[in-house]
Amino acid sequence: MRRSYKFFALMILSIVSLSAYAQSVTQLGTYLKPSEAKLLYTDSVVRHTTLRPYVLNANDSLFLKEDSTTHKTWLGRKLWDEHLLQVRQPDFDLYLDFLPDFQVGRDFNNDRTTWLNTRGFYIGGRIGKQFTFYTSFYENQGVFPLYVDQSTRTTGVIAGQGEVRNYGNGGFDYSYAAGRISYTPSKYFNFDLGYDRNFIGDGYRSLLLSDATAPYPYVKLTATVWKLRYMMMWAQMIDRESPKFDYQNGYRKKWGVFHYLDWNISKKVSVGLFENVIWQDADSLGKRGFDMSYLNPLLFFRPVEFANGSPDKVLVGMTAKYKMLPKFTWYGQFALNEFTAKEFFAGDGYWGNKWGAQIGFRSFDIFKIPNLHFQGEVNIVRPYTYTARKPVVNGVVNPNNGKPTNNYVHFSQSLAHPWGANFEEFLGIVNYSWKRFDFRGQFTYGYYGLDPQGMNYGKNILLPYDTRVSDYGNHIGQGITTNLFYGDLTAAYVLNKKYNLRIETGLTLRSENNSNGNNSTAIINFGLRSSFRNLYYDF
């Protein structure tokens, strides 16, 4: 690991040397409030909206305004208007918040009481005009709906968070930590060192890089010049599927390098280009480590990967956005894992045509009702997309349980869509805010093909594509064709906007049915919540 530390130190020193002049900076995380999304997409300033966390500078004063204080007593200010602890100085800011997530619910269809007991804290601030930082930690115990419980016990990981331990009678105990340091030496560069999640796209989902996984360590450089914003990121992922080498080294690691170029062609049209390589950190015969071939931030990866003997996994893609009306924006994505033109146009279901597509829209203040927002989205991913082959060492298939190490996965969770592959999804999300009341509804319908025991029809991206059932005739929904409906309604009263403290109640309906039967869930939930994370339980 010494080479890894040296690499990160070298990156920090090289970016620090780029300093030109200072300006205020902060970030919006991967979690966007509806009001923040509205400002990003409807403001007259042309913005790069596809990279989250979203880097804010002096031109984004619209986001940096301080909320007014309306309460005179200390208790009133802390409950309604301010951070629990905040210190403001000309060259230094610091704030600290306690983030509870206390929920209790009832799953009537499965005669199951659910609950969540989360105690978290969040510390953030600014040093001078160039550095911002935050760190957060959550300790959790809970009993979850049956479908979440079953998924967690299968993978050993709670969705979007971390590894679990058994707790009490049917519950889990787990923790979550994240943090980042952001340095902006000039209006052209931002340097980000963190242990967190990232997101590329304008949608609710991303087929390129999503925030549906556990956090991971990364180094990221973002450069903004003219109408272009270019992101380069190097990250280290966890491979839980392969056996550990020994106790001291823990889980096996793998590396990911990401390039993304976003171009605002005009005030209405934007396009982006994406590429990624995933490679294993070590094999059973020795350590490969960080590959210096992927260090150059301006190279195209495919020729480099080919020059290395094609041992790694490449994913390319593109994004597009069209602002049709001041408060209505179309967006889309296309992800390409492999492509054979002859087979693609033949339409014979060749397994190697592995791709995903997304189209959606965001609309704000619909029907001229302030703060009534709607988002619609369709996601389609072919079977075997994001998968990799069995690892091979010296011409022999590696005995790591036949599991690939360089698939598009971190901590047993997809780095793209949480459903994996072999699915179609249709979803709609509506938000409405009035004073301190906040209402949200989400409705999702999808169908996918589950993998029967011992067979690989392409949904489970942890499986190697070498074990596919057929070279031809593959189609979305193959395997055990399954239909899923998911509906979620929440109503909340926001106590403190600074750290999203709210009293919330909700109703969740879920129905999954196929030839093996029907699994349904109906839950009513109540809670006191505060969080700035996207946690996805709509699977």
Side-chain angles (χ1 to χ4, degrees):
M1 291 300 292
R2 289 182 178 178
R3 284 189 294 174
S4 301
Y5 297 144
K6 290 180 180 179
F7 162 71
F8 284 121
L10 177 63
M11 289 297 299
I12 293 173
L13 292 175
S14 63
I15 302 304
V16 169
S17 66
L18 293 172
S19 180
Y21 61 88
Q23 69 180 115
S24 298
V25 65
T26 186
Q27 291 187 331
L28 297 176
T30 58
Y31 171 87
L32 285 182
K33 299 178 184 177
S35 59
E36 293 171 338
K38 177 183 176 181
L39 293 176
L40 281 175
Y41 287 90
T42 63
D43 188 36
S44 58
V45 177
V46 180
R47 301 179 184 277
H48 299 277
T49 59
T50 49
L51 280 171
R52 300 204 298 265
Y54 188 83
V55 178
L56 305 176
N57 54 41
N59 295 325
D60 295 303
S61 58
L62 189 64
F63 293 91
L64 304 177
K65 296 186 300 184
E66 289 297 325
D67 296 332
S68 60
T69 299
T70 58
H71 294 80
K72 296 181 179 180
T73 66
W74 180 89
L75 182 60
R77 294 197 309 272
K78 295 304 176 184
L79 180 60
W80 302 99
D81 302 318
E82 297 180 352
H83 296 287
L84 180 62
L85 171 67
Q86 61 182 39
V87 179
R88 298 190 183 280
Q89 299 293 330
D91 58 352
F92 178 79
D93 289 335
L94 177 68
Y95 52 88
L96 179 149
D97 290 307
F98 171 67
L99 304 181
D101 194 351
F102 305 138
Q103 299 182 55
V104 61
R106 184 66 180 173
D107 182 351
F108 295 97
N109 287 14
N110 296 288
D111 192 24
R112 184 182 181 91
T113 297
T114 62
W115 56 268
L116 180 64
N117 178 8
T118 294
R119 293 86 59 211
F121 71 83
Y122 187 102
I123 301 175
R126 170 185 63 89
I127 303 175
K129 295 184 178 180
Q130 296 171 307
F131 285 95
T132 60
F133 64 91
Y134 89 86
T135 183
S136 63
F137 177 80
Y138 301 83
E139 178 64 26
N140 317 266
Q141 293 85 35
V143 173
F144 292 86
L146 187 60
Y147 77 97
V148 177
D149 182 276
Q150 292 173 340
S151 173
T152 303
R153 296 188 186 281
T154 299
T155 62
V157 176
I158 190 74
Q161 299 180 75
E163 205 164 45
V164 299
R165 299 173 293 274
N166 289 326
Y167 180 83
N169 184 19
F172 297 117
D173 177 86
Y174 58 98
S175 58
Y176 177 100
R180 64 175 73 225
I181 301 173
S182 176
Y183 172 57
T184 303
S186 77
K187 67 179 181 179
Y188 301 109
F189 294 101
N190 174 259
F191 174 70
D192 190 359
L193 174 66
Y195 182 83
D196 207 342
R197 306 180 293 182
N198 295 271
F199 190 96
I200 294 178
D202 289 288
Y204 173 72
R205 310 286 198 188
S206 176
L207 305 183
L208 302 178
L209 179 63
S210 80
D211 57 353
T213 69
Y216 45 83
Y218 67 88
V219 174
K220 180 167 64 174
L221 171 65
T222 303
T224 304
V225 179
W226 187 53
K227 299 180 179 181
L228 304 175
R229 177 165 287 180
Y230 185 49
M231 182 276 288
M232 300 145 281
M233 183 172 72
W234 298 264
Q236 190 178 65
M237 312 296 182
I238 297 293
D239 175 21
R240 293 182 67 256
E241 306 306 311
S242 298
K244 300 177 182 179
F245 282 129
D246 52 51
Y247 178 79
Q248 286 76 13
N249 286 318
Y251 288 121
R252 295 178 59 173
K253 310 297 192 299
K254 57 185 178 182
W255 290 92
V257 57
F258 304 80
H259 289 176
Y260 179 71
L261 175 65
D262 189 43
W263 178 22
N264 287 332
I265 299 175
S266 68
K267 292 183 177 180
K268 291 188 175 183
V269 179
S270 300
V271 296
L273 299 176
F274 170 87
E275 60 176 351
N276 158 263
V277 174
I278 299 288
W279 74 95
Q280 61 184 17
D281 187 56
D283 58 35
S284 61
L285 300 183
K287 184 174 180 178
R288 176 180 175 185
F290 185 84
D291 193 328
M292 301 300 288
S293 302
Y294 298 126
L295 185 58
N296 191 318
L298 299 179
L299 286 177
F300 290 101
F301 288 149
R302 189 64 182 108
V304 177
E305 193 267 344
F306 182 78
N308 283 345
S310 296
D312 307 321
K313 196 63 182 174
V314 177
L315 177 70
V316 298
M318 67 176 297
T319 65
K321 181 181 68 176
Y322 173 56
K323 191 174 182 178
M324 188 172 72
L325 298 170
K327 295 184 179 181
F328 188 98
T329 299
W330 289 101
Y331 62 84
Q333 285 187 348
F334 184 74
L336 185 61
N337 204 178
E338 288 187 33
F339 177 76
T340 305
K342 177 182 176 182
E343 304 289 357
F344 180 85
F345 292 108
D348 51 11
Y350 182 58
W351 77 274
N353 287 326
K354 299 184 290 182
W355 54 264
Q358 175 190 89
I359 186 169
F361 66 87
R362 289 178 178 267
S363 56
F364 303 92
D365 299 340
I366 57 177
F367 308 122
K368 297 183 179 181
I369 300 175
N371 301 318
L372 177 60
H373 315 315
F374 185 74
Q375 180 177 5
E377 187 172 296
V378 178
N379 296 289
I380 301 172
V381 179
R382 288 268 303 164
Y384 307 108
T385 305
Y386 308 118
T387 61
R389 61 176 177 265
K390 295 179 182 178
V392 177
V393 178
N394 294 331
V396 179
V397 175
N398 194 326
N400 294 329
N401 297 327
K403 298 292 182 64
T405 59
N406 56 349
N407 47 18
Y408 206 56
V409 170
H410 164 60
F411 222 75
S412 302
Q413 302 167 92
S414 170
L415 283 165
H417 197 294
W419 290 12
N422 190 16
F423 69 84
E424 291 190 9
E425 178 192 35
F426 307 84
L427 66 88
I429 300 172
V430 60
N431 291 98
Y432 177 63
S433 298
W434 178 73
K435 296 184 178 180
R436 289 183 178 266
F437 290 94
D438 188 33
F439 305 92
R440 182 184 186 274
Q442 177 184 340
F443 306 93
T444 301
Y445 167 75
Y447 72 93
Y448 42 79
L450 294 175
D451 299 313
Q453 183 68 33
M455 304 184 73
N456 181 7
Y457 280 93
K459 184 180 190 302
N460 186 354
I461 64 177
L462 297 175
L463 300 177
Y465 60 63
D466 312 64
T467 60
R468 58 188 178 272
V469 294
S470 176
D471 285 348
Y472 294 92
N474 295 285
H475 61 275
I476 294 175
Q478 66 181 10
I480 304 175
T481 303
T482 304
N483 294 284
L484 174 70
F485 170 79
Y486 179 92
D488 184 70
L489 298 171
T490 60
Y493 182 77
V494 180
L495 299 173
N496 192 313
K497 295 182 180 179
K498 289 291 187 181
Y499 52 103
N500 201 28
L501 182 65
R502 54 179 53 207
I503 299 172
E504 184 176 285
T505 182
L507 170 66
T508 301
L509 301 174
R510 180 184 182 273
S511 176
E512 182 184 40
N513 61 83
N514 53 39
S515 57
N516 293 334
N518 178 59
N519 295 317
S520 59
T521 300
I523 300 175
I524 293 180
N525 240 27
F526 301 91
L528 175 68
R529 312 192 62 195
S530 176
S531 179
F532 293 106
R533 299 176 296 165
N534 287 324
L535 298 177
Y536 301 91
Y537 296 112
D538 48 354
F539 57 85

